[in-house]
Amino acid sequence: QVQLVESGGGSVQAGGSLRLSCAASGSFGSRNALGWYRQAPGKQRELVALITRGGIINYADSVKGRFTISRDNAENMVYLQMNSLKPEDTAVYYCNLKDFTNYGMDYWGKGTLVTVSS
């Protein structure tokens, strides 16, 4: 059983910063990627950023230059540093683990709300 627990969401004014954290626990393969997705009201869930265990990173164009993803392989943690936040960044942010050892199985956290006011 894989568990992903997010923390760090909250409310901030435009231009501010927040840092999200996600702790992964349970049994999963060593070939994996940890990442963040978000879902705004009335919209589909979208990729924000992901990072493989080997350090390969992918960002959504909308967050490049503002968000930074990082991970601690020893602690099975993933972080998302969000700077220069915009109202359009308002969404529920979900932690995701893709287990490539297990046919790319996806695991999800329960989500944490980020609200950016103008």
Side-chain angles (χ1 to χ4, degrees):
Q1 187 81 7
V2 175
Q3 280 194 320
L4 301 171
V5 179
E6 304 101 335
S7 60
S11 297
V12 66
Q13 288 194 326
S17 297
L18 283 174
R19 187 185 192 223
L20 305 183
S21 301
C22 173
S25 62
S27 180
F28 49 89
S30 59
R31 289 175 56 241
N32 63 71
L34 283 166
W36 295 93
Y37 286 70
R38 67 187 180 187
Q39 187 165 18
K43 294 189 176 182
Q44 288 190 328
R45 192 173 296 189
E46 62 176 4
L47 172 70
V48 176
L50 64 82
I51 181 169
T52 68
R53 187 176 176 86
I56 297 171
I57 293 173
N58 186 30
Y59 290 107
D61 287 344
S62 59
V63 306
K64 283 180 181 177
R66 300 188 299 121
F67 291 10
T68 302
I69 190 170
S70 60
R71 67 183 283 171
D72 182 333
N73 289 333
E75 298 294 330
N76 288 323
M77 297 286 296
V78 63
Y79 307 96
L80 186 68
Q81 178 66 43
M82 304 185 293
N83 298 329
S84 301
L85 281 160
K86 304 175 181 179
E88 50 263 45
D89 294 318
T90 295
V92 177
Y93 284 70
Y94 296 91
C95 183
N96 170 264
L97 183 147
K98 296 186 187 298
D99 188 348
F100 299 125
T101 309
N102 189 18
Y103 306 102
M105 178 73 76
D106 274 313
Y107 299 94
W108 296 94
K110 293 183 179 180
T112 185
L113 178 63
V114 171
T115 303
V116 184
S117 58
S118 57

